[in-house]
Amino acid sequence: MELVSKPLAGILVVSLEQAISAPLATRHLADLGARVIKVEQPGTGDSTRHYDSVVDGMSAHFVWLNYGKESAALDLKSDADLAVLRGILDRADVFVSNLAPGAIDRLGLGLDELAAAHPRLIVVDVSGYGKGGPLDHKRAYDMLVQSEGGSCTITGTPGHPAKPGIPIADCGTAMYVYSTVLAALYEREKTGRGAVVEISMLDVVAEFMGPVLNQYIHAGVDADPVGMGSPMIVPYGAYPTADGQTAVLGTTSDREWQRLCAIIDRPDLAVDERYAHNADRVEHRGDLDAAVAQWCAGRSLQDIQAAADEAGIGNARLNRVGDLVEHPQLRARDRWRDVGTPGGAVPALKPPAAARHWDTVSGSVPALGADTEAIRTEFG
């Protein structure tokens, strides 16, 4: 089958972006072949450039978020450089911003002004808390929004809330930006009209909290964190094994519960009415976790996983980051590629979503302002 290497070829994206949420979204647009111009402050650039220097002098965050883009270092307080940005906007298909509250308005690039001046432009504004309301003026970082959104209180252990290690507010927001831009491009093909999209990180976290919100609204249950488990499903957790590893397994239905009772050789639990349904099992979390833990403690991880696979019970090994780097499933499926950086080629994962007939677009990570003069010449 002939490869169509760039399904978003011809789409121009310009982004005033920092940190994670907007850069991850625009990087995925670049993965699909869009041209992405990242506008950065001269001298400093995106804040993630300076988190560390572990990737050949560049930060781990910046390399992850920014390959396949062009960097234009423009001083937007300068009339000349602001005119360059306006020149890019005249030809752009998508504009994405996640600057501090009010920043784009002070540049004369408010959402209404952009929509009026560029009726085909898809304008995306990412904020922490949305427009209006008592928090709309506040800066918002992943941990802050997760704290406001309650996700930290259902993570960790009772009395010890924790921020999930993955920045879910940032990453979740990025995926909503990415998918909404694609939907808006599709709509524009039919109507010729652009769109104004406002995405709040708090709204994203609140959406992800859906099940526990429903529990509270309808049952008055304020979920407690349960470490490597689920506040809503039992048994479902991590259990030490006889060979010093950790097995992660559990059930998601009453039928799976019956099968789990069989493999841990506890038929008494299978017929006990106290544990018949998941809601009942949640009430007896300690007893059931202890039963599964006792069975796992007497067996190797390999034996546990073999028995669970044979019985149709979901299971996994608790891996560290180094284990993921060497994960045989990623290697077997050829999930790694090389991307360029100013210091040379480095490994990066292929994008998770792609059609079979699309080629993998592997761009490079730009040095700060690497494309400024070319962009000034083209758009100035």
Side-chain angles (χ1 to χ4, degrees):
M1 179 181 296
E2 183 180 355
L3 293 177
V4 180
S5 62
K6 297 183 178 181
L8 289 186
I11 296 297
L12 174 59
V13 179
V14 58
S15 190
L16 299 182
E17 58 181 27
Q18 293 274 356
I20 296 175
S21 57
L24 181 57
T26 58
R27 197 216 84 195
H28 279 308
L29 296 174
D31 285 331
L32 297 182
R35 180 185 180 186
V36 178
I37 297 176
K38 180 184 183 78
V39 176
E40 301 187 71
Q41 179 69 25
T44 56
D46 189 324
S47 58
T48 63
R49 284 186 178 274
H50 312 292
Y51 282 2
D52 54 59
S53 57
V54 300
V55 186
D56 294 331
M58 303 190 78
S59 84
H61 274 76
F62 192 83
V63 170
W64 165 47
L65 296 163
N66 290 290
Y67 49 80
K69 303 179 185 181
E70 301 169 34
S71 172
L74 301 178
D75 179 2
L76 298 182
K77 295 179 181 178
S78 153
D79 290 342
D81 278 3
L82 186 58
V84 173
L85 175 58
R86 291 189 180 279
I88 301 171
L89 287 167
D90 286 339
R91 302 189 216 171
D93 299 283
V94 180
F95 171 72
V96 179
S97 171
N98 71 330
L99 300 186
I104 60 170
D105 298 284
R106 290 191 293 272
L107 293 170
L109 302 174
L111 305 184
D112 293 337
E113 290 87 346
L114 286 173
H118 308 282
R120 286 180 53 84
L121 184 65
I122 294 156
V123 181
V124 183
D125 181 59
V126 178
S127 64
Y129 302 106
K131 298 293 194 300
L135 301 185
D136 71 345
H137 66 288
K138 294 178 72 69
R139 286 181 176 269
Y141 307 125
D142 181 86
M143 181 176 68
L144 307 180
V145 177
Q146 288 204 52
S147 296
E148 289 284 351
S151 62
C152 296
T153 64
I154 61 168
T155 309
T157 55
H160 300 280
K163 186 190 82 66
I166 293 173
I168 61 169
D170 280 328
C171 293
T173 300
M175 294 303 97
Y176 279 108
V177 172
Y178 173 56
S179 57
T180 305
V181 165
L182 296 179
L185 287 170
Y186 178 68
E187 181 191 45
R188 194 182 68 175
E189 284 297 302
K190 296 184 291 181
T191 67
R193 185 178 64 245
V196 175
V197 177
E198 297 176 80
I199 296 181
S200 153
M201 294 171 67
L202 180 63
D203 293 348
V204 171
V205 174
E207 172 66 31
F208 289 175
M209 292 284 284
V212 291
L213 286 176
N214 280 339
Q215 270 203 334
Y216 184 83
I217 291 167
H218 299 287
V221 175
D222 203 342
D224 286 323
V226 290
M228 275 289 295
S230 165
M232 303 179 72
I233 303 172
V234 173
Y236 192 80
Y239 308 95
T241 67
D243 55 346
Q245 301 193 68
T246 301
V248 181
L249 74 164
T251 62
T252 58
S253 69
D254 294 341
R255 286 180 298 174
E256 288 184 4
W257 164 244
Q258 294 292 319
R259 297 201 297 270
L260 181 62
C261 290
I263 68 170
I264 68 173
D265 196 24
R266 289 295 303 272
D268 58 309
L269 299 179
V271 299
D272 194 322
E273 286 299 315
R274 292 177 298 170
Y275 314 134
H277 304 295
N278 181 66
D280 305 319
R281 294 191 290 274
V282 170
E283 295 297 319
H284 297 89
R285 179 186 305 275
D287 294 341
L288 301 183
D289 273 343
V292 178
Q294 182 179 17
W295 180 75
C296 290
R299 290 160 179 80
S300 69
L301 176 67
Q302 183 176 356
D303 288 345
I304 292 167
Q305 292 196 284
D309 284 341
E310 184 176 356
I313 298 296
N315 63 90
R317 176 178 184 260
L318 183 62
N319 282 328
R320 294 184 63 84
V321 176
D323 300 316
L324 180 61
V325 171
E326 301 299 332
H327 204 292
Q329 190 72 6
L330 296 177
R331 298 289 177 186
R333 295 172 52 247
D334 192 28
R335 294 300 302 156
W336 291 96
R337 57 171 164 174
D338 285 338
V339 299
T341 77
V346 298
L349 287 165
K350 294 178 181 178
R356 286 183 177 180
H357 66 284
W358 297 346
D359 200 1
T360 299
V361 180
S362 295
S364 295
V365 181
L368 175 59
D371 307 285
T372 306
E373 293 312 313
I375 287 169
R376 280 195 177 119
T377 299
E378 182 179 359
F379 296 100

